[in-house]
Amino acid sequence: MTSKKSLPTKVTISPDALYEDLDGKIVILNFQKEKYYTLDEIGSDMWKLFNEKNNTEEVIKQLLEDYDVDEEKLTNDLADLISKLSDSGLVTINY
């Protein structure tokens, strides 16, 4: 069994990230790196919630209402996505 990963308290979408919803998938352009990224449907929902709420506790609550998923798995998946987005310069995080 894996342990629940810690999440930052706040996730903010970078001003360098231009994004568009294309058929339920978010496509993101990072102007600084001149790279495109695509999120699947669940990742896209997470991204939209960062844009609306940017508080990870609220994001978790909403996703638990929207999806039939274990909270630990959701938290770990969200932590992985946040880490990848942060490493790519698409979001900033605060603990």
Side-chain angles (χ1 to χ4, degrees):
M1 176 180 248
T2 60
S3 62
K4 191 158 95 171
K5 296 180 181 180
S6 64
L7 291 171
T9 56
K10 185 175 180 179
V11 176
T12 307
I13 295 173
S14 169
D16 294 326
L18 176 66
Y19 59 94
E20 187 68 37
D21 186 339
L22 300 175
D23 296 324
K25 294 182 180 178
I26 296 289
V27 178
I28 310 161
L29 169 63
N30 181 321
F31 285 115
Q32 294 294 327
K33 295 186 178 185
E34 298 180 349
K35 284 187 155 186
Y36 283 96
Y37 303 86
T38 304
L39 300 176
D40 65 14
E41 183 180 339
I42 296 171
S44 295
D45 286 346
M46 292 174 177
W47 178 271
K48 291 173 194 173
L49 288 169
F50 294 145
N51 190 42
E52 293 171 17
K53 301 178 185 291
N54 79 21
N55 175 302
T56 53
E57 191 173 307
E58 292 179 31
V59 170
I60 288 285
K61 285 180 187 176
Q62 184 63 53
L63 290 168
L64 286 171
E65 288 179 21
D66 294 346
Y67 293 97
D68 181 24
V69 63
D70 175 72
E71 184 174 357
E72 185 175 310
K73 171 149 179 47
L74 176 64
T75 300
N76 291 342
D77 289 350
L78 187 60
D80 290 343
L81 178 63
I82 290 169
S83 177
K84 289 175 185 174
L85 293 172
S86 178
D87 291 347
S88 299
L90 300 174
V91 298
T92 56
I93 55 177
N94 298 94
Y95 284 90

